[in-house]
């Protein structure tokens, strides 16, 4: 789990790989039509340790 401000999240300052993968999976309106969406595979493994200031 990661705890960070909205500003840090929007600025790309997420540290945990799962948080970064979630942000990357959000569709963007300026994407080229036909571009495949980013996904998180079912077998993806992420560390279980909390990261970031104020980690929970």
């Amino acid at each position: 789990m990661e705890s960070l401000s909205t500003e840090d999240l929007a600025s790309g300052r997420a540290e945990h790989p799962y948080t970064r993968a979630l942000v990357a999976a959000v569709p963007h309106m300026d994407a080229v039509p036909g571009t495949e969406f980013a996904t998180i595979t079912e077998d993806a493994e992420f560390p279980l340790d909390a990261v970031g200031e104020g980690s929970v």
Side-chain angles (χ1 to χ4, degrees):
M1 178 176 269
E2 181 169 11
S3 178
L4 70 160
S5 70
T6 305
E7 180 182 325
D8 285 343
L9 183 64
S11 298
R13 291 191 284 262
E15 295 179 29
H16 197 281
Y18 184 70
T19 307
R20 285 189 253 150
L22 286 174
V23 172
V26 175
H28 299 277
M29 295 301 292
D30 59 350
V32 175
T35 301
E36 290 190 29
F37 293 116
T39 59
I40 301 171
T41 61
E42 289 183 34
D43 60 348
E45 294 187 24
F46 301 100
L48 300 177
D49 299 332
V51 298
E53 186 176 324
S55 297
V56 180

